[in-house]
Every structure is written in C-alpha cells, then in structure tokens.
Amino acid sequence: MIQGTGFIYTDTGREPSSKGDVIFTPRGHWHGFDNTGTENVVLVWGWSGAGSLEAAGYEIPPEGY
C-alpha cells in the first residue's frame, strides 16, 4: 500500500491497512478493500498463475457499465 488508509477484507474477516503495509491473500481466497480515509488510496496489486483478470476470478462489469 503506497498511500491512504482503509480495511482489507478477506473471507476470514477484515483488518486495518495503511501506507507501507504489504497484504497477502492466498490463492483461491476472496479479497477486497474499503477506503476509510480522506485521501485517495494507492494500491499495487499483483497475482500469479492467471493470464487475465477473468481467469484470476475477478468479477468484470459488463461493457458500458
């Protein structure tokens, strides 16, 4: 996490997160983030073993959404 504050959500609960934190979510586990601060959040996400967002299990909104 490069900037901001918030909560990381996983299928096991939620934890506070802020600048400088590294968050690891094991393969096959749901995750998300909620910005609870007053500034923009800057996150760097990475994943392995999938050739696309769809293959990684992300829900992609329909075009024009």
Side-chain angles (χ1 to χ4, degrees):
M1 191 160 170
I2 296 174
Q3 175 181 307
T5 58
F7 281 90
I8 181 74
Y9 291 90
T10 68
D11 50 7
T12 61
R14 74 180 202 155
E15 295 287 332
S17 185
S18 60
K19 181 180 177 178
D21 286 349
V22 174
I23 302 160
F24 173 74
T25 305
R27 183 181 308 228
H29 290 262
W30 181 90
H31 61 278
F33 189 83
D34 184 20
N35 179 0
T36 59
T38 57
E39 65 180 329
N40 290 334
V41 168
V42 178
L43 298 169
V44 176
W45 292 93
W47 66 91
S48 67
S52 68
L53 291 174
E54 292 88 349
Y58 285 88
E59 295 179 13
I60 309 299
E63 201 168 312
Y65 175 69

